């Protein structure tokens, strides 16, 4: 997908910036920036795009996004309430070009390198780090820097993470066409439960159907149908975990026209059936 380059203003007196976002919806387009970003979702849920990854986010979502890795968070069309997040942004050399070469800090340097494809943290690691991020807002000076290093030391030593984008993902920023791809993502976010078609997406992007097909595959590494199915399966996974809807109800409420295709697409993406997915996630609670 084409990402828009975001220019971030930093306080030169600090090695990193901490921002808090509160609004009715997350409205930032698919974008990238040279800063590494640690993003914590405090409230709301929806769809998360990181590189060629498509997945769900909800309260407590904690993701480390590498330098110039395109990303976007969108709320569901039916979302109500507050979209609230805290995120840290910093340049890889924010502590000095040689600082992370110190033996004691090399583990953090390796974490920053791994973040180029995006890392989602869970379990005890997330539970431990979330309050530390929230506390950072009230710290100053040396305590603030130590809090920053403590957070990334914990993340760097954790095995409780999931890689998001493909390890081979290497976006060519010159190929991006931001307005077009953002308009298509908005269409899918609003209408994935309906019979949204590639022809409709092509019209939204202002392109002919053949041109759009080539553009979309080149930009996302996925066909339009595969992309749409991943969005639908992400929503279905959320319903399976958070509601008591039957598998058939989840199928139709996620935009699939028949149960056999839903089961096939779910198995293709998760390597497990919807019923087994629900059982497994229930046991982990």
């Amino acid at each position: 997908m084409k990402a828009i380059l975001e220019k971030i203003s930093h306080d030169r007196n600090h090695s990193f910036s901490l921002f808090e976002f509160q609004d009715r919806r997350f409205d930032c387009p698919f974008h990238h920036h040279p800063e590494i970003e640690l993003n914590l979702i405090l409230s709301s849920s929806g769809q998360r795009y990181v590189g060629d990854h498509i997945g769900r986010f909800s309260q407590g979502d904690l993701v480390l996004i590498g330098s110039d890795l395109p990303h976007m968070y969108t709320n569901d069309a039916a979302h109500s309430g507050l979209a609230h997040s805290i995120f840290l942004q910093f340049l890889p050399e924010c502590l000095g070009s040689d600082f992370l070469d110190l033996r004691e800090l090399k583990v953090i340097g390796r974490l920053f390198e791994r973040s180029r494809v995006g890392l989602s943290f869970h379990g005890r690691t997330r539970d431990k780090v979330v309050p530390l991020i929230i506390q950072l807002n009230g710290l100053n000076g040396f305590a603030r820097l130590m809090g920053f290093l403590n957070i990334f030391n914990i993340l760097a030593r954790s095995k409780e993470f999931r890689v998001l984008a493909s390890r081979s993902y290497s976006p060519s920023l010159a190929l991006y066409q931001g307005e077009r791809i953002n308009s298509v993502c908005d269409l899918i976010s609003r209408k994935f439960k309906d019979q949204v078609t590639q022809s409709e997406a092509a019209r939204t992007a202002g392109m002919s159907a053949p041109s759009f097909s080539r553009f979309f595959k080149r930009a996302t590494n996925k066909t339009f149908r595969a992309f749409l199915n991943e969005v639908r399966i992400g929503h279905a996974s959320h319903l399976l975990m958070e509601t008591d809807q039957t598998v058939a109800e989840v199928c139709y409420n996620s935009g699939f026209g028949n149960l056999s295709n839903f089961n096939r697409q779910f198995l293709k993406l998760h390597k497990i059936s919807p019923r087994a997915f629900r059982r497994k996630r229930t046991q982990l609670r």
Side-chain angles (χ1 to χ4, degrees):
M1 286 187 273
K2 178 182 185 276
I4 297 168
L5 175 61
E6 182 181 25
K7 297 290 187 179
I8 297 170
S9 298
H10 293 282
D11 184 343
R12 293 184 179 180
N13 295 319
H14 293 103
S15 53
F16 66 94
S17 297
L18 187 148
F19 301 96
E20 186 167 3
F21 176 90
Q22 294 187 68
D23 209 333
R24 289 184 299 173
R25 304 183 67 83
F26 292 123
D27 58 1
C28 194
F30 200 61
H31 67 289
H32 67 98
H33 40 72
E35 291 81 4
I36 296 172
E37 177 175 313
L38 180 63
N39 196 322
L40 168 63
I41 302 296
L42 294 176
S43 67
S44 83
S45 61
Q47 210 72 28
R48 177 182 63 202
Y49 303 85
V50 179
D52 60 357
H53 159 82
I54 306 168
R56 296 287 303 178
F57 73 86
S58 58
Q59 182 178 345
D61 190 70
L62 181 64
V63 170
L64 183 62
I65 300 167
S67 178
D68 278 320
L69 178 61
H71 56 285
M72 176 174 68
Y73 289 70
T74 63
N75 294 112
D76 296 326
H79 163 75
S80 62
L82 188 67
H84 189 188
S85 68
I86 293 179
F87 51 100
L88 282 64
Q89 291 179 333
F90 53 93
L91 292 167
E93 65 276 12
C94 66
L95 300 174
S97 57
D98 298 325
F99 192 70
L100 294 179
D101 289 334
L102 296 174
R103 180 176 299 177
E104 297 85 351
L105 296 175
K106 280 191 174 183
V107 64
I108 296 178
R110 289 194 290 271
L111 172 69
F112 292 169
E113 291 173 7
R114 296 202 309 273
S115 72
R116 72 176 187 84
V117 289
L119 304 173
S120 173
F121 291 89
H122 57 270
R124 291 185 178 181
T125 299
R126 180 179 59 188
D127 294 342
K128 191 173 183 179
V129 165
V130 166
L132 297 179
I133 295 173
I134 295 172
Q135 290 168 15
L136 262 188
N137 210 20
L139 300 179
N140 292 294
F142 184 74
R144 189 173 188 267
L145 177 59
M146 289 301 100
F148 174 85
L149 289 174
N150 186 32
I151 287 169
F152 286 98
N153 183 55
I154 293 170
L155 296 179
R157 299 178 187 280
S158 173
K159 295 182 179 179
E160 295 177 309
F161 66 87
R162 177 190 170 202
V163 173
L164 297 182
S166 304
R167 292 192 180 275
S168 59
Y169 181 75
S170 180
S172 173
L173 301 182
L175 296 177
Y176 288 159
Q177 297 190 43
E179 292 183 5
R180 280 178 168 166
I181 205 68
N182 283 316
S183 65
V184 173
C185 285
D186 180 65
L187 172 71
I188 292 173
S189 178
R190 288 186 290 104
K191 299 189 65 177
F192 70 87
K193 297 180 186 179
D194 305 319
Q195 296 306 309
V196 58
T197 65
Q198 182 167 304
S199 296
E200 184 178 2
R203 289 194 300 272
T204 298
M207 304 174 73
S208 68
S211 295
F212 175 79
S213 178
R214 292 191 296 271
F215 155 73
F216 197 84
K217 179 66 182 295
R218 193 178 183 190
T220 66
N221 293 324
K222 306 175 195 292
T223 65
F224 176 78
R225 177 57 56 181
F227 189 96
L228 177 60
N229 281 339
E230 285 198 32
V231 171
R232 287 172 168 168
I233 292 299
H235 182 71
S237 302
H238 170 73
L239 294 180
L240 288 168
M241 290 188 292
E242 303 297 333
T243 74
D244 294 325
Q245 293 181 22
T246 66
V247 171
E249 289 172 331
V250 168
C251 162
Y252 297 117
N253 288 334
S254 299
F256 288 94
N258 65 76
L259 193 55
S260 61
N261 183 43
F262 169 63
N263 285 325
R264 183 167 58 252
Q265 296 299 331
F266 198 98
L267 184 64
K268 180 179 179 181
L269 188 63
H270 285 304
K271 313 302 182 189
I272 192 172
S273 71
R275 285 187 174 81
F277 177 87
R278 171 174 271 170
R279 261 195 323 269
K280 183 176 180 181
R281 292 306 176 101
T282 302
Q283 292 168 357
L284 291 175
R285 291 181 177 178

